[in-house]
């Protein structure tokens, strides 16, 4: 979340919790400090808005700890959440489940509303705010229960960013489409659908060389760190026949097909392994006879 958005989020009255990018709790615009275990309890409840049975909550927060000891740790942590109105119900009743009060606002909940809105049909006539979709859930926290929710939200937010980029490309807002697709690519460089959205936006904008550079970078990433190269994105580029070359006699002839994609000003790099897909690189010309 950007600093400006975080300030506007925190300056509103009431209890508000942030879990995107970093943890934060504010009450009537003022930051509320919490100890380590109380902070973990509040973060867990912010990610799981339904009432949580205390035994299951304690087991998730203190895995491997005997049930009775985990229950005591949970009771101490709940007592440390000294923020009236933040938790629902009678928190002194150790048999009742725990939940945030309905009035408490969480940035993740707002982000999920954006995900659902962007996933629907319809066109975009202007660039929407996507700051809430630019951060992962508590990226520096390593607990297993966080990792599960983080990955689930990560997939949803990336898909939403890609959808926004595609809709902006269709509307003709190409620069905005490129910017938002770049957010997805930066977050997941090896994600093919994110790279596809970026290449489509660049081609629609007319940045053919940048589009091919993205294609090359993606193939190189796959080759060196993920697995075999993919030809799935080659279909985004015009075929060789779509780029006629003028001959000396004044006629037009198709260029020789040196790779799956032949574009003016680009050349195909010879693969290191025979039979492997050729990569596109800038700096060459299409051959003619």
């Amino acid at each position: 979340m950007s600093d400006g958005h975080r300030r506007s989020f925190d300056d509103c009255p009431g209890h508000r919790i942030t879990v995107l990018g970093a943890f934060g709790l504010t009450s009537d615009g003022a930051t509320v400090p919490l100890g380590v275990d109380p902070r973990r309890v509040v973060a867990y409840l912010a990610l799981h808005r339904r009432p949580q049975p205390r035994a299951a909550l304690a087991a998730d927060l203190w895995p491997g700890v005997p049930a009775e000891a985990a229950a005591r740790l949970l009771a101490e942590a709940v007592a440390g959440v000294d923020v009236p109105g933040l938790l629902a119900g009678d928190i002194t009743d150790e048999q009742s489940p725990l939940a945030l009060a309905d009035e408490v606002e969480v940035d993740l909940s707002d982000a999920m509303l954006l995900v659902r809105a962007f996933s629907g049909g319809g066109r975009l006539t202007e660039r929407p705010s996507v700051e809430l979709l630019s951060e992962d859930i508590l990226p520096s926290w390593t607990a297993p229960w966080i990792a599960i929710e983080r990955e689930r939200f990560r997939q949803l937010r990336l898909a939403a960013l890609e959808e926004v980029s595609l809709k902006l490309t269709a509307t003709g807002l190409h620069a905005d489409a490129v910017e938002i697709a770049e957010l997805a690519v930066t977050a997941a460089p090896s994600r093919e659908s994110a790279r596809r959205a970026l290449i489509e936006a660049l081609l629609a904008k007319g940045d053919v060389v940048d589009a091919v550079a993205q294609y090359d970078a993606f193939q190189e990433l796959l080759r060196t760190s993920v697995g075999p190269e993919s030809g799935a994105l080659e279909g985004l580029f015009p075929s060789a026949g779509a780029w006629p070359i003028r001959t000396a006699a004044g006629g037009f002839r198709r260029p020789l097909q040196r790779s799956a994609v032949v574009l003016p000003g680009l050349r195909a790099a010879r693969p290191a392994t025979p039979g492997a897909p050729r990569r596109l690189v800038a700096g060459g010309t299409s051959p003619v006879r």
Side-chain angles (χ1 to χ4, degrees), residues 38-271:
R39 184 164 63 243
R40 293 170 67 223
V41 170
V42 171
Y44 190 104
L45 297 178
L47 269 60
H48 306 84
R49 291 304 299 262
R50 294 182 178 179
Q52 300 297 310
R54 297 197 183 209
L57 175 56
D60 275 351
L61 291 178
W62 291 277
V65 176
E68 291 186 2
R72 287 195 299 270
L73 291 171
L74 177 60
E76 293 172 0
V78 170
V81 184
D82 190 17
V83 183
L86 184 66
L87 300 181
D90 183 4
I91 63 174
T92 63
D93 181 4
E94 296 185 359
Q95 302 303 314
S96 65
L98 288 171
L100 295 177
D102 292 339
E103 298 78 14
V104 176
E105 297 191 14
V106 179
D107 60 351
L108 177 60
S109 299
D110 292 341
M112 290 303 299
L113 290 176
L114 285 181
V115 167
R116 287 191 284 272
F118 294 150
S119 299
R123 300 173 70 251
L124 290 175
T125 58
E126 60 182 4
R127 183 191 189 280
S129 175
V130 295
E131 281 77 7
L132 286 172
L133 303 180
S134 63
E135 298 279 3
D136 282 329
I137 296 173
L138 301 173
S140 63
W141 293 29
T142 58
W145 60 269
I146 294 177
I148 294 172
E149 296 300 323
R150 179 189 299 133
E151 183 59 24
R152 186 179 76 88
F153 175 68
R154 177 181 175 82
Q155 296 301 320
L156 291 172
R157 77 177 181 87
L158 290 177
L161 288 172
E162 294 161 9
E163 184 65 22
V164 169
S165 178
L166 293 174
K167 288 182 177 181
L168 291 174
T169 296
T171 304
L173 300 175
H174 301 138
D176 291 332
V178 169
E179 181 182 348
I180 290 178
E182 285 175 339
L183 291 175
V185 169
T186 300
S190 62
R191 184 179 169 97
E192 184 175 292
S193 55
R195 196 76 64 155
R196 174 182 293 273
L198 178 54
I199 290 174
E200 288 189 3
L202 288 168
L203 289 174
K205 188 182 177 186
D207 292 342
V208 178
V209 173
D210 287 344
V212 174
Q214 286 293 331
Y215 175 89
D216 274 348
F218 181 64
Q219 298 292 1
E220 183 69 11
L221 177 63
L222 294 184
R223 185 181 67 81
T224 58
S225 63
V226 178
E229 297 183 17
S230 169
L233 298 181
E234 289 184 351
L236 297 176
F237 296 89
S239 62
W243 298 88
I245 302 299
R246 183 179 294 276
T247 66
F252 286 94
R253 296 184 58 185
R254 292 184 179 182
L256 296 179
Q257 187 165 341
R258 300 175 59 190
S259 69
V261 183
V262 180
L263 297 174
L266 305 173
R267 60 186 175 84
R270 194 175 297 276

Side-chain angles (χ1 to χ4, degrees), residues 4-20:
H5 188 88
R6 190 177 299 279
R7 282 195 296 270
S8 65
F9 188 82
D10 291 346
D11 289 343
C12 297
H15 299 315
R16 303 187 185 279
I17 298 169
T18 61
V19 293
L20 300 178

